[in-house]
Amino acid sequence: MALRNIRLEGDDILRKRAKDIDAVTDRIKTLAADMLDTMYHSDGVGLAAPQIGILKRIIVIDIGQGPLVFINPEIIETDGEQVGPEACLSMPRVSGEVKRPLKVKTKALNVEGEEFTIEGEGLLARAICHEIDHLNGVLFTDIATNIVRE
Ligand code: NI
């Protein structure tokens, strides 16, 4: 496991669409472990591969309930809405309010290459949406209101 460099706002890679992962290889498992290390080291609750310069569809999240890895994640159902604060490891000292679904049901592969679905509510739903946006080149400031840059 190793720490990777986090790309910052202004880096073109953050604006590109990440590509599907064809096979969950040992390299992908190492990538997932490195992403978790990098996220914990920066006190983040989520990280997407483009944020470390890799255009693959993989995100990691830990909202304090243990690590989650999503490979090729797809939101298959949403319900309700919530408005709340967000920040991003690629945009230090920037915050804003973002409207997100209150609940999201997501389908993905785990690091064993097995499909799973998870229903997230509140912060987990917010984190899943924020990280999947990264896979599509979207930054939270694109859709936020009351943006504060300290
Ligand atoms: Ni982010």
Side-chain angles (χ1 to χ4, degrees), residues 51 87-89 130-131 134:
Q51 291 182 275
C88 180
L89 293 178
H130 178 117
E131 300 312 330
H134 275 299

Side-chain angles (χ1 to χ4, degrees), residues 49-115:
Q51 291 182 275
I52 55 164
I54 294 178
L55 281 175
K56 292 187 189 303
R57 300 187 80 80
I58 175 171
I59 65 175
V60 298
I61 289 173
D62 189 339
I63 58 158
Q65 297 171 349
L68 295 169
V69 176
F70 300 75
I71 295 166
N72 299 338
E74 250 180 89
I75 292 174
I76 52 177
E77 239 177 82
T78 67
D79 190 32
E81 66 177 48
Q82 56 174 330
V83 178
E86 287 188 25
C88 180
L89 293 178
S90 293
M91 285 180 276
R93 293 176 297 283
V94 181
S95 61
E97 302 269 314
V98 185
K99 189 199 285 185
R100 301 285 191 187
L102 180 61
K103 298 179 188 176
V104 298
K105 188 192 249 184
T106 306
K107 184 175 82 173
L109 301 177
N110 64 20
V111 286
E112 304 305 327
E114 302 155 346
E115 189 175 298

